[in-house]
Amino acid sequence: MGPAFNCGVFFSEVSKITQDQKYMQMAVNLALLGKYDTWTNPLVGAVIVKNNQVIATGYHHKFGKEHAEINALSHLDQLSQAKGATIYVSLEPCSHYGKTPPCARKLVEVGIKRVVVGQLDPNPLVAGKGIQILKQAGIEITNLNCTQYINQTYNFFYNNQRPFITLKYAMSLDGKLNFQHGQRSILTGETVHDDSQRLRMDNQAILIGEHTLDVDDPLLTVRLKIMEFPPIKILLVNDVNQINMGLRIFSTAGSIWILSKTISKKKMPKNVRVFADDSWHVEQIIELMHDEGIQSLLVEGGSEVQARFMCSGIVDQIVSYVSGQVFGGTALPVAKGAGMNKPLKMNIQQVAQLGPDVKITARRN
């Protein structure tokens, strides 16, 4: 969700970049090689240094695979080389058994002398416990506290106990979604299409409402890259039993969640999960995302769904693609339905020209 944070720039009061900053920037660059492949795991890179020489590097390649520290250790000619070395890790080493053993204990075992971390891990399973294990073993610890930006939604999820919410829509110059009721309007060009695809890649789930499902018949897929962990496609509907299973989305791979006000009475494909609740308020949707460990949600429409999220106030980012077309007063507006008690204050962070269209990115205060 942005460029890598430059640890050298972070220490702006220092005229010369220190060795710690240099090696941590290397760890950050390595971490970014795992982008789009680590799913709900954070991006992490590691650099092992001994006698002022880099002797091994590594990063977390893929969800479920070895962590960055273990990957770096595996690249040593001999594991004994780690004794007395310093390891730079962009995130605090883990302390718990998950899909892999705890990295902090492995660093103790191989005789690492010093650990420099880019940030503490906000995940309560770690949250300082990795540092504690290292300190108890007599390992020197330095926290540069400068790499939070590369795992923005991961940090947000654990710090706020909910996913990072982005509303995204394309609109006419006068704020409309569709020119004619019940018919999709093509608003923007190929440059916007590619940019919105990258936005999908940056999120772990995409949500649309029933009207968008019926009118647009979308795929909600990522076409720029084959992803082992594509965004979950979430459909907010009134009655799951009334859904047309012949829609294109049901021919796609990847997980599909249906949030319905009714219980399903028919057998669903293996990749489809149905969650039933009689209301599905925004807060309930967010709670489900949290319980399922989903750290980022992209809300793509339609007009009523956008209005419901805006009304709830639980919006962290709005990405609006604006075309030069004007649709007039009878066309469908961006948000229609739920009213707001007060304006939702957003800070416009970027305005960019994308071909003939304009992209506006705004963040919550």
Side-chain angles (χ1 to χ4, degrees):
M1 301 188 66
F5 192 91
N6 189 316
C7 289
V9 174
F10 178 79
F11 295 92
S12 57
E13 72 278 8
V14 181
S15 59
K16 183 178 180 180
I17 295 177
T18 67
Q19 290 290 91
D20 281 354
Q21 292 170 254
K22 182 182 77 170
Y23 292 131
M24 186 56 69
Q25 188 63 54
M26 288 178 61
V28 166
N29 294 341
L30 287 161
L32 292 171
L33 296 176
K35 192 170 175 65
Y36 306 126
D37 294 323
T38 62
W39 186 224
T40 54
N41 284 356
L43 299 171
V44 186
V47 177
I48 303 176
V49 177
K50 193 172 185 179
N51 299 324
N52 295 320
Q53 296 292 323
V54 174
I55 59 174
T57 64
Y59 67 97
H60 183 38
H61 287 242
K62 188 177 294 186
F63 180 78
K65 300 299 183 181
E66 61 189 8
H67 289 183
E69 301 92 321
I70 308 304
N71 185 245
L73 290 171
S74 73
H75 291 144
L76 291 171
D77 294 331
Q78 296 180 342
L79 200 55
S80 60
Q81 290 177 286
K83 188 172 182 180
T86 295
I87 187 168
Y88 294 82
V89 192
S90 58
L91 184 69
E92 174 187 2
C94 67
S95 56
H96 63 290
Y97 285 89
K99 291 185 179 295
T100 59
C103 295
R105 297 195 185 279
K106 187 65 177 180
L107 297 181
V108 172
E109 178 188 321
V110 300
I112 288 288
K113 181 180 180 181
R114 180 175 180 238
V115 176
V116 181
V117 300
Q119 71 157 101
L120 297 182
D121 192 334
N123 185 338
L125 292 174
V126 187
K129 299 182 185 72
I131 296 295
Q132 185 178 8
I133 290 171
L134 298 170
K135 282 185 175 180
Q136 287 175 345
I139 295 175
E140 181 186 347
I141 304 296
T142 301
N143 179 13
L144 298 182
N145 193 30
C146 71
T147 60
Q148 291 86 346
Y149 197 73
I150 65 171
N151 290 301
Q152 181 180 343
T153 57
Y154 176 85
N155 287 314
F156 183 93
F157 178 81
Y158 287 110
N159 288 328
N160 295 275
Q161 300 302 302
R162 68 168 179 83
F164 185 90
I165 308 298
T166 299
L167 303 191
K168 167 252 172 180
Y169 48 83
M171 68 177 187
S172 64
L173 201 57
D174 56 340
K176 304 301 171 61
L177 293 178
N178 289 331
F179 179 69
Q180 189 172 338
H181 178 74
Q183 183 175 324
R184 182 188 179 195
S185 296
I186 304 299
L187 283 151
T188 52
E190 283 298 313
T191 309
V192 164
H193 175 269
D194 289 347
D195 190 80
S196 64
Q197 284 282 301
R198 286 186 286 272
L199 187 59
R200 285 183 179 179
M201 291 167 66
D202 280 334
N203 284 271
Q204 293 170 1
I206 304 168
L207 183 144
I208 62 169
E210 192 164 21
H211 185 71
T212 299
L213 178 66
D214 290 337
V215 172
D216 291 2
D217 190 14
L219 292 168
L220 298 187
T221 53
V222 172
R223 273 88 84 183
L224 294 182
K225 173 182 170 66
I226 297 174
M227 300 181 70
E228 186 170 346
F229 305 100
I232 296 168
K233 298 175 276 286
I234 303 176
L235 314 177
L236 182 61
V237 304
N238 285 310
D239 185 357
V240 62
N241 301 291
Q242 299 299 315
I243 289 180
N244 175 8
M245 299 304 293
L247 291 170
R248 297 191 304 162
I249 197 167
F250 295 108
S251 66
T252 63
S255 296
I256 299 172
W257 293 1
I258 300 176
L259 312 188
S260 171
K261 293 181 180 179
T262 60
I263 297 172
S264 177
K265 297 177 181 177
K266 55 186 177 182
K267 186 176 181 180
M268 289 289 169
K270 291 182 178 180
N271 66 327
V272 176
R273 295 176 66 186
V274 178
F275 300 86
D277 191 280
D278 59 6
S279 58
W280 284 119
H281 296 303
V282 168
E283 291 77 8
Q284 291 167 297
I285 296 172
I286 299 306
E287 184 178 357
L288 174 64
M289 300 295 100
H290 172 264
D291 292 346
E292 294 289 332
I294 302 304
Q295 299 163 9
S296 53
L297 175 65
L298 178 64
V299 181
E300 289 205 3
S303 182
E304 291 184 11
V305 172
Q306 299 280 14
R308 286 169 62 179
F309 272 85
M310 290 176 185
C311 182
S312 75
I314 309 178
V315 176
D316 302 297
Q317 178 173 253
I318 292 178
V319 176
S320 176
Y321 299 107
V322 185
S323 81
Q325 302 180 67
V326 176
F327 284 175
T330 60
L332 181 68
V334 164
K336 180 180 180 181
M340 301 174 66
N341 294 324
K342 60 180 181 179
L344 180 62
K345 180 64 176 176
M346 308 290 287
N347 289 325
I348 294 177
Q349 301 223 322
Q350 184 182 38
V351 178
Q353 189 81 36
L354 299 182
D357 309 303
V358 172
K359 176 186 179 182
I360 300 173
T361 304
R363 287 284 184 94
R364 188 188 185 100
N365 278 340

